[in-house]
Amino acid sequence: RDLVRSRGLGDVYKRQTINFFMARVSNHLVIMAGGVGSRFWPMSTADRPKQFIDILGVGRSLLQLTYDRFKGICPPENVWIVTNKKYADVVREQLPEVKAENILLEPCRRNTAPCIAYVSWRIKSQDPKANVVITPSDHIVTDNEEFRRIIRLCMNFTSETDAIVTLGMTPTRPETGYGYIQADLSTASPRNKEIYRIDSFREKPDYETAKEYISHKNYFWNAGIFVWSVSTIVNAFRVYSPTISKVFEGMLDIYGTPEEQPTIDNRYPECENISVDYAIMEKAEEIFVCPANFGWSDLGTWTSLMEQTHKDLYGNALIGENIHMIDSHNCIVHTTEEKKVVVQGLDGYIVAEKDNQLIVCKLSEEQRIRLFAEE
């Protein structure tokens, strides 16, 4: 108010400016960072999964990059991290900007529905009018400006409606590793011409089904990024997942107190192990998709990382400062620990090193080799 008063802006513009800043203060970001796994072994392990490592070789972990790309969407004090208790220290180390009380600790793994329910009731206890975006911590985005435009657009939409919005990525290939969203593109929402109703969610398909999906142009990859008001999602849990709702509704008096963590430790294991897609999304009525294209990947495999990385003239993706390729093609090499690496005569291979562990294997065999490494 002082800003617009001092600049002598017109009454209409004053109201718009004040409303913008008031809306921004009510925007909250939730980053889900509790996943485990070692898909990028030897860099990622069960003790330090991929969201906490610098996979791209840019000096920032995937968690930190996720935090970075939401700057300007909401104030730092409205950023929340939900993670497993054993990752608490690494989250605090990597994101000192996030208030300690905004790092919520799960005592056990119960998939995304209990995770989202917990943080939703926690936010509602202090900001009943909050507008929330939920995102995984281990994805990448190459066009951050377009990403922020889409997020703002969706948050404006949910601040004015009781809608649930999910982001749908425009598919670039018949991918079998993602779930799909079937959209009704015949009519856009009257409030926003880039948002459409969802007809159905589809599970990860086989290759032929994926080819069929993308031929119709109204199927999108499910990115697992959701936008809603906190009152909308809490009400959705009450209707569609009452057992989970009962757990967190019953803790309203202890959120933000010293009793919160012990109570969560005791009650959280009661929750069903279920994704938010099954618990809420596939049942809700006011559910929409915003198709988007901002260079998204969930980085589930070395192949997906290679697709998002700059390549040399021979198709090699090199992450590291001292890598030399000789007569090699279509490889990904990830060696960032200041060691000189020379690769000769390979085609379609992974070469990666971390903490004195080395992997050299065919890209086509990465799943089998990963299972071997996890034993």
Side-chain angles (χ1 to χ4, degrees), residues 7 63 284:
R7 294 188 176 179
L63 172 64

Side-chain angles (χ1 to χ4, degrees), residues 271-292:
C271 294
E272 181 182 3
N273 189 341
I274 187 172
S275 71
V276 74
D277 297 88
Y278 282 127
I280 303 295
M281 306 299 285
E282 295 185 3
K283 303 173 184 177
E285 295 181 0
E286 289 297 305
I287 185 164
F288 297 80
V289 62
C290 181

Side-chain angles (χ1 to χ4, degrees), residues 38 96 105 137 159 202 216 230 276:
S38 52
L105 304 179
S137 59
S159 70
R202 302 298 178 93
H216 291 298
V230 73
V276 74

Side-chain angles (χ1 to χ4, degrees), residues 40 43 50 53-57 60 62 299 305 319 334:
F40 288 93
M43 280 99 64
K50 65 173 179 172
I53 62 175
D54 178 15
I55 287 180
L56 300 179
R60 299 282 281 174
L62 293 178
L299 289 187
L305 174 60
I319 302 174
H334 193 298

Side-chain angles (χ1 to χ4, degrees), residues 308-340:
Q308 299 294 331
T309 306
H310 174 75
K311 301 173 188 64
D312 66 16
L313 292 175
Y314 304 100
N316 299 306
L318 310 179
I319 302 174
E321 297 297 324
N322 201 359
I323 302 171
H324 305 271
M325 307 296 287
I326 303 170
D327 300 328
S328 294
H329 304 80
N330 309 310
C331 295
I332 179 166
V333 182
H334 193 298
T335 52
T336 59
E337 297 192 338
E338 300 182 1
K339 295 181 179 179
K340 185 174 185 178

